[in-house]
Amino acid sequence: MIEIAGVSRSFGERRVLDDVGFRVQGGRMTGFVGGNGAGKTTTMRIILGVLAADAGTVTLDGRPLTAADRARFGYMPEERGLYPKMKVLEQLVYLGRLHGMSAESAKTSASGLIERLGLSERAGDTLESLSLGNQQRAQIAAALVHEPTALVLDEPFSGLDPIAVEVVLGVLRDYAAQGAPVLFSSHQLDIVERLCDDVVVIGGGRILASGSRESLRAEHSGSAFEIELAGPVGDAGWVRDQPGVEVTHLDGGFARFDASEEAAQGVLAHAVGRSQTPGSQTVVRRFGPVTPTLAQIFKEVVQ
């Protein structure tokens, strides 16, 4: 587990990180989201030791991170940093060797990643000859080639088409499944919501929200509920007459409404009672609280 605690950093008079703290659990994918200038890249650079914090600590499994620990991390910067005139396979093998791998191990790892990331036909091409999307795939392979113990990736999905996104998602899931902590930033909230176990939202250099995807949804779910009825007389208009209920959307057998938990359970009990009336063919198809999307949570906490 990587833990960031009380980290602050200023550039001159400008405070860019202010008491930042969160955890990246082993075997879990943690999405790091925030607007431009929120502090994501600075935080990641401090984790990797590229920048020093003015205050606070970064630990690995409860002990301070060392240079040796960081050398075993996989890091992908937002800016592409590979050698443009080197061939893809040659470059990945070279990077693996820099991390202490044998020539054979580096080539095996590089070749496997090239195949998984769909670059087999471009392995002998120079980086500068690749499309931007394929350059991004090569950059991801470079972060993974030395079989890192943790991953810190800054905008890994930038420039990827939907098919490439799915390929990269599969590769990252595999690394997390092996027990590695995986932290990545992204502006693509739909991908973060689909992929991540945990989410950290940063804004103005401060952590605005953090926790598991499910706990954040529950925390920000508010008082909205939905019920959907099915059957020949599955009209939900009666919901408007229930005590403590304010209907916000009504369409045939579907109703969305605001209510306390107690009032919402009253709606459900009434619906079940109606379905059990002799001769009734109405059934309750769905009932539950309205869970917000990550985009909605993000909009709420950054305002």
Side-chain angles (χ1 to χ4, degrees):
M1 179 183 71
I2 301 171
E3 182 171 7
I4 298 91
V7 167
S8 297
R9 170 73 196 212
S10 297
F11 293 109
E13 298 297 318
R14 185 166 65 94
R15 175 68 67 92
V16 294
L17 295 179
D18 187 6
D19 196 28
V20 166
F22 60 92
R23 294 176 176 179
V24 186
Q25 301 280 358
R28 294 175 68 85
M29 305 280 291
T30 300
F32 196 26
V33 299
N36 291 330
K40 301 187 300 297
T41 296
T42 300
T43 301
M44 289 180 158
R45 288 175 175 171
I46 287 174
I47 293 172
L48 270 297
V50 178
L51 289 174
D54 296 332
T57 60
V58 181
T59 58
L60 177 66
D61 297 331
R63 57 178 177 77
L65 268 174
T66 66
D69 293 327
R70 290 182 166 111
R72 299 183 64 196
F73 283 14
Y75 176 47
M76 179 184 152
E78 186 175 9
E79 308 85 4
R80 292 183 176 89
L82 301 181
Y83 301 106
K85 298 189 181 299
M86 284 185 73
K87 296 176 181 178
V88 175
L89 177 59
E90 176 187 357
Q91 183 155 189
L92 294 179
V93 172
Y94 171 70
L95 293 173
R97 296 281 284 148
L98 284 180
H99 279 91
M101 301 179 79
S102 68
E104 182 180 358
S105 296
K107 186 172 182 179
T108 298
S109 178
S111 298
L113 285 166
I114 284 172
E115 182 177 355
R116 286 206 64 185
L117 291 167
L119 289 172
S120 295
E121 295 182 359
R122 310 306 300 272
D125 296 344
T126 62
L127 189 79
E128 64 183 0
S129 70
L130 304 184
S131 67
L132 292 180
N134 281 338
Q135 288 184 27
Q136 189 77 346
R137 296 189 201 206
Q139 189 85 47
I140 292 167
L144 299 173
V145 68
H146 59 291
E147 301 174 350
T149 57
L151 288 175
V152 179
L153 310 173
D154 201 351
E155 294 291 342
F157 302 102
S158 177
L160 297 181
D161 61 47
I163 294 176
V165 166
E166 292 303 318
V167 170
V168 172
L169 287 179
V171 172
L172 297 184
R173 284 193 184 104
D174 285 351
Y175 268 85
Q178 295 170 19
V182 178
L183 175 69
F184 75 88
S185 69
S186 180
H187 287 95
Q188 295 162 276
L189 297 181
D190 58 327
I191 293 176
V192 174
E193 185 162 31
R194 186 155 50 98
L195 175 63
C196 287
D197 304 295
D198 304 306
V199 179
V200 177
V201 182
I202 188 171
R206 297 184 64 87
I207 300 302
L208 303 178
S210 66
S212 71
R213 180 178 52 189
E214 292 75 17
S215 68
L216 287 177
R217 283 174 170 170
E219 181 181 346
H220 295 272
S221 61
S223 59
F225 293 82
E226 291 179 343
I227 190 168
E228 184 178 0
L229 308 174
V233 289
D235 177 55
W238 55 267
V239 175
R240 290 177 295 194
D241 301 325
Q242 299 303 298
V245 170
E246 181 180 352
V247 173
T248 58
H249 183 79
L250 184 64
D251 183 10
F254 172 82
R256 181 181 295 119
F257 57 93
D258 290 330
S260 66
E261 178 69 27
E262 182 179 1
Q265 290 300 321
V267 171
L268 176 60
H270 188 83
V272 171
R274 291 170 68 94
S275 70
Q276 294 174 344
T277 301
S280 173
Q281 297 179 357
T282 299
V283 297
V284 179
R285 176 177 292 170
R286 180 167 59 90
F287 171 83
V290 178
T291 55
T293 65
L294 179 56
Q296 291 170 325
I297 294 172
F298 178 80
K299 182 178 180 181
E300 177 182 337
V301 300
V302 299
Q303 285 180 341

